[in-house]
């Protein structure tokens, strides 16, 4: 699925869990300049999103609200939805650039050219994200205020989380294909991943755990002093908090880069010729 030699090719090797993980991680280390270029604009969007639309410190109790005013929860829900959409947009901008770099199409640009591939990728990403989460979001949205989920909803949500996650992985090859502007249907992705799901499922999971371990270590160093009651106030705390927020967004992009690398390696091995029928 690559097109030019202008940028490095993907790692060679047979499709396996080791290849998907190794190829994705090595790309982050070898191509740091391209990674930083692709991540610059999405990082700024994510950081502004966190600063402007981050969670409120506290919401007033329901009993203190004027019944004639709209519920505060409605405003919070809309704000959270907007924040989630901005995150998906930033992830789309970054992932499309990183996919195209790894697949050999073009080097990342600080200001990417927006086009049809971004719209297609955003739609595919929305599907992949919502498949496992949609029932949980529906239960949370329809639950009466101040009450927990109905009996059985949590167990059912966990079951669907696994089913939806499986479906999302089966359809995930549409993401690098969308970035490469290669026509690939959900059915094509489903057929190509038949019998190859275990590496594709485990690689993002292991990569995410590695990123989470790194995040935990760095967050303990940066946020630990903020949690000390004796260090409340002071100009340094604001800078530390800003650094912690920036680190969080950077690690989010690292996770996206790992997932994009895994899918890029998978798609060129499971669908080497996108024009051929996938049986």
């Amino acid at each position: 699925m690559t097109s030019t030699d202008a940028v490095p090719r993907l790692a060679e090797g047979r499709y396996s869990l080791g290849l998907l993980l190794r190829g994705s991680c090595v790309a982050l280390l070898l191509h740091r300049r391209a990674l930083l270029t692709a991540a610059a604009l999405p990082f700024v969007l994510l950081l502004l999103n966190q600063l402007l639309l981050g969670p409120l410190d506290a919401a007033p109790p329901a009993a203190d609200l004027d019944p004639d005013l709209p519920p505060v929860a409605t405003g919070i829900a809309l704000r959270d939805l907007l924040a989630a959409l901005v995150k998906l947009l930033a992830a789309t901008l970054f992932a499309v650039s990183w996919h195209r770099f790894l697949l050999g199409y073009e080097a990342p640009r600080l200001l990417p050219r927006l086009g049809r591939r971004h719209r297609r990728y955003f739609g595919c990403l929305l599907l992949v994200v919502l498949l496992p989460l949609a029932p949980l979001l529906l239960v949370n949205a329809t639950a009466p205020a101040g009450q927990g989920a109905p009996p059985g909803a949590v167990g059912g949500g966990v079951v669907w989380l696994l089913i939806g996650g499986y479906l999302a992985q089966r359809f995930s090859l549409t993401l690098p294909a969308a970035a490469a502007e290669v026509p690939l249907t959900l059915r094509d992705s489903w057929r190509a991943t038949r019998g190859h799901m275990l590496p594709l499922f485990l690689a993002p999971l292991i990569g995410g755990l590695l990123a989470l371990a790194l995040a935990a270590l760095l967050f303990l160093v940066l946020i630990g002093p903020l949690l000390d009651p004796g260090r409340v106030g002071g100009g340094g705390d604001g800078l530390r908090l800003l650094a912690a927020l920036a680190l969080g967004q950077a690690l989010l992009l690292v996770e996206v880069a790992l997932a994009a690398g895994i899918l890029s390696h998978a798609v060129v091995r499971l669908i080497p010729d996108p024009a051929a029928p996938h049986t």
Side-chain angles (χ1 to χ4, degrees):
M1 193 175 288
T2 54
S3 66
T4 73
D5 292 316
V7 293
R9 297 280 184 168
L10 295 175
E12 296 296 331
R14 296 183 61 183
Y15 176 85
S16 66
L17 174 62
L19 172 72
L20 298 183
L21 277 174
R22 183 177 65 255
S24 182
C25 292
V26 167
L28 298 183
L29 299 176
L30 291 183
H31 309 303
R32 296 183 295 274
R33 182 174 180 179
L35 179 69
L36 292 175
T37 302
L41 179 59
F43 173 78
V44 172
L45 288 177
L46 287 172
L47 187 57
L48 290 176
N49 180 54
Q50 184 68 26
L51 292 172
L52 299 177
L53 297 173
L56 297 176
D57 292 334
D64 296 338
L65 298 178
D66 187 334
D68 295 330
L69 295 178
V72 172
T74 302
I76 296 175
L78 292 175
R79 185 204 57 202
D80 290 344
L81 176 61
L82 178 59
L85 289 176
V86 173
K87 283 187 177 182
L88 288 177
L89 174 61
T92 295
L93 292 175
F94 174 63
V96 168
S97 294
W98 193 238
H99 276 303
R100 292 182 67 80
F101 173 75
L102 294 179
L103 293 171
Y105 284 87
E106 60 190 5
R109 298 162 52 94
L110 285 174
L111 296 176
R113 300 188 187 96
L114 300 181
R116 183 170 178 266
R117 58 177 172 262
H118 292 90
R119 295 192 297 271
R120 284 189 59 202
Y121 196 96
F122 185 84
C124 293
L125 182 61
L126 199 60
L127 172 67
V128 168
V129 169
L130 287 182
L131 264 175
L133 297 181
L136 300 178
L137 296 175
L138 181 61
V139 169
N140 184 66
T142 57
Q147 297 184 16
V154 175
V158 172
V159 171
W160 177 256
L161 185 63
L162 296 175
I163 296 174
Y166 172 79
L167 295 175
Q169 291 293 331
R170 294 297 299 267
F171 295 144
S172 62
L173 295 186
T174 58
L175 291 170
E181 297 184 286
V182 171
L184 189 75
T185 66
L186 295 177
R187 171 185 270 187
D188 294 334
S189 179
W190 181 272
R191 290 177 175 176
T193 53
R194 183 184 302 156
H196 301 285
M197 269 300 300
L198 191 58
L200 195 57
F201 174 78
L202 290 179
L205 182 62
I206 296 174
L209 290 176
L210 291 175
L212 184 61
L214 176 62
L217 176 62
L218 295 177
F219 266 73
L220 282 176
V221 173
L222 289 173
I223 298 182
L226 293 176
L227 302 179
D228 183 357
R231 285 187 43 83
V232 176
D237 285 346
L239 293 177
R240 285 174 180 268
L241 183 57
L242 180 60
L245 291 175
L247 176 61
Q249 310 319 303
L251 288 170
L252 176 60
L253 290 176
V254 169
E255 292 182 3
V256 173
L258 286 172
I262 288 166
L263 291 176
S264 294
H265 281 81
V267 75
V268 297
R269 285 160 178 82
L270 298 181
I271 310 180
D273 182 4
H278 313 303
T279 58

